Amino acid sequence: MRRQAWPQRRRHATTAQRANGEIAIVNYDRCSYCGACVPVCPPDCITLHDATWQIAEDLCTGCRRCVLVCPTAALNMRTRVAA
Ligand code: SF4
Ligand code: SF4
């Protein structure tokens, strides 16, 4: 039997994944730049660089995993604004 290739990691959120219409947002006053949110993000859209938290908004699926692991409650969700 022919084996199927392992699927490529998805780099962009599909319309269905963005169905909840939310995106992660950070409160910089609360963020300690601990990095805990970075590895739990499935589409790998969070970047910490020079004490700056950035998100690739087109990749965020609104899954809230980052919100759940943040030890300082710096992350929240906001409604995605249509481009
Ligand atoms: S987990 Fe929270 S405190 Fe840590 S880097 Fe992410 S947003 Fe900042
Ligand atoms: S809500 Fe999910 S996809 Fe969006 S930044 Fe947080 S962990 Fe990543």
Side-chain angles (χ1 to χ4, degrees), residues 26 30-38 48 53 66 69-72 74-75:
V26 71
R30 283 180 167 267
C31 180
S32 64
Y33 307 102
C34 68
C37 55
V38 176
L48 285 180
W53 189 97
C66 55
V69 301
C70 179
T72 62
L75 291 172

Side-chain angles (χ1 to χ4, degrees), residues 4-56:
Q4 289 189 323
W6 192 257
Q8 294 290 312
R9 188 171 192 191
R10 198 193 313 274
R11 296 299 302 168
H12 294 277
T14 64
T15 302
Q17 286 176 312
R18 291 189 294 219
N20 68 5
E22 291 185 328
I23 189 170
I25 186 171
V26 71
N27 179 340
Y28 289 104
D29 291 336
R30 283 180 167 267
C31 180
S32 64
Y33 307 102
C34 68
C37 55
V38 176
V40 302
C41 177
D44 198 20
C45 60
I46 300 172
T47 305
L48 285 180
H49 183 67
D50 290 340
T52 301
W53 189 97
Q54 290 184 308
I55 181 173

Side-chain angles (χ1 to χ4, degrees), residues 61-81:
T61 63
C63 71
R64 295 174 177 245
R65 291 187 190 194
C66 55
V67 175
L68 295 175
V69 301
C70 179
T72 62
L75 291 172
N76 215 319
M77 305 300 292
R78 69 165 169 81
T79 302
R80 179 185 289 273
V81 178

